């Protein structure tokens, strides 16, 4: 039951993008097409899960036992940067069109505060390893869900008659706000 609560909470109630407002840069930048959003979501899922696993192990078996907690942020960023490089190399080989579509936003996963935020939240919430992995995967799914929903809405808005002053980013920001409010409605479920 505890894992179900973690999953529902991470995806809907405390959505990393729509409730905690972490990872907004790729949320706004990569959400013009659903296909690109799915690709970015997959990359974030991979990086967030592995980063959480590796940072949990480093925190538990190196930083805490040797009283090096003050190094947490820099160590976590280095781990995330390394994993993003690995994803970038793999995507360049496996799917060049997706690599091109993600463009600058792929290396920006390194500075995506959602990935770092989840790694730090796992330590703050004192999760065990399994809870940490479930939390990371659920947050990545929540990130992907928000990204894909927003991309679908933006694709739909491109087909609609929108007043001239609201076209582009203005209507996207209003839509993102309404989407965030919709997710806030889940707050009393858990």
């Amino acid at each position: 039951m505890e894992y179900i609560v973690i999953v529902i909470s991470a995806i809907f109630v405390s959505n990393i993008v729509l409730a905690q407002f972490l990872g907004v840069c790729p949320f706004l930048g990569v959400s013009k097409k659903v296909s690109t959003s799915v690709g970015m979501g997959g990359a974030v899922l991979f990086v967030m899960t592995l980063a959480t696993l590796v940072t949990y192990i480093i925190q538990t078996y190196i930083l805490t036992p040797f009283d090096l907690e003050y190094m947490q942020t820099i160590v976590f960023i280095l781990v995330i940067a390394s994993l993003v490089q690995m994803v970038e190399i793999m995507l360049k080989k496996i799917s060049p069109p997706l690599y091109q579509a993600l463009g600058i936003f792929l290396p920006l996963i390194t500075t995506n505060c959602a990935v770092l935020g989840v790694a730090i939240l796992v330590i703050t919430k004192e999760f065990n390893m399994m809870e940490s992995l479930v939390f990371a995967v659920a947050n990545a799914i929540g990130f992907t869900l928000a990204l894909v929903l927003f991309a679908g809405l933006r694709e739909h808005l491109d087909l609609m008659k929108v007043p001239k002053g609201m076209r582009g980013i203005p209507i996207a920001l209003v839509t993102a706000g309404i989407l965030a409010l919709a997710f806030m409605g889940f707050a009393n479920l858990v």
Side-chain angles (χ1 to χ4, degrees):
M1 184 67 172
E2 186 175 326
Y3 293 115
I4 293 171
V5 170
I6 290 172
V7 169
I8 290 172
S9 177
I11 294 173
F12 298 109
V13 179
S14 299
N15 185 287
I16 199 81
V17 177
L18 299 174
Q20 297 183 41
F21 305 109
L22 295 173
V24 174
C25 178
F27 175 71
L28 292 173
V30 184
S31 60
K32 292 181 182 175
K33 290 185 171 183
V34 172
S35 59
T36 308
S37 297
V38 170
M40 176 59 109
V44 168
L45 173 68
F46 180 78
V47 170
M48 192 176 285
T49 305
L50 274 180
T52 301
L53 176 65
V54 173
T55 55
Y56 177 86
I57 291 168
I58 289 172
Q59 179 74 31
T60 305
Y61 298 107
I62 298 171
L63 298 180
T64 301
F66 294 107
D67 291 324
L68 298 172
E69 287 94 352
Y70 63 90
M71 303 259 321
Q72 181 186 59
T73 304
I74 192 71
V75 169
F76 285 15
I77 289 172
L78 289 172
V79 167
I80 292 165
S82 301
L83 290 170
V84 169
Q85 284 300 110
M86 189 170 67
V87 168
E88 192 170 5
I89 290 167
M90 287 172 36
L91 272 181
K92 197 172 188 177
K93 285 276 191 196
I94 295 169
S95 180
L98 180 59
Y99 174 79
Q100 290 296 324
L102 292 174
I104 188 67
F105 293 100
L106 187 57
L108 285 178
I109 295 175
T110 302
T111 58
N112 184 344
C113 52
V115 177
L116 180 60
V118 168
I120 291 173
L121 280 171
V122 160
I123 304 304
T124 305
K125 293 177 183 266
E126 297 180 357
F127 285 152
N128 62 37
M129 188 178 296
M130 193 61 190
E131 290 169 337
S132 299
L133 288 174
V134 168
F135 184 73
V137 169
N139 270 288
I141 291 169
F143 179 86
T144 304
L145 176 67
L147 205 62
V148 170
L149 283 174
F150 189 53
L153 290 170
R154 285 182 79 175
E155 283 183 1
H156 186 71
L157 282 171
D158 285 344
L159 304 173
M160 306 300 292
K161 278 187 120 183
V162 177
K164 187 177 181 182
M166 288 297 289
R167 290 186 193 139
I169 295 295
I171 194 68
L173 291 174
V174 169
T175 305
I178 293 170
L179 189 59
L181 285 172
F183 270 70
M184 294 288 183
F186 292 117
N188 292 327
L189 293 179
V190 177

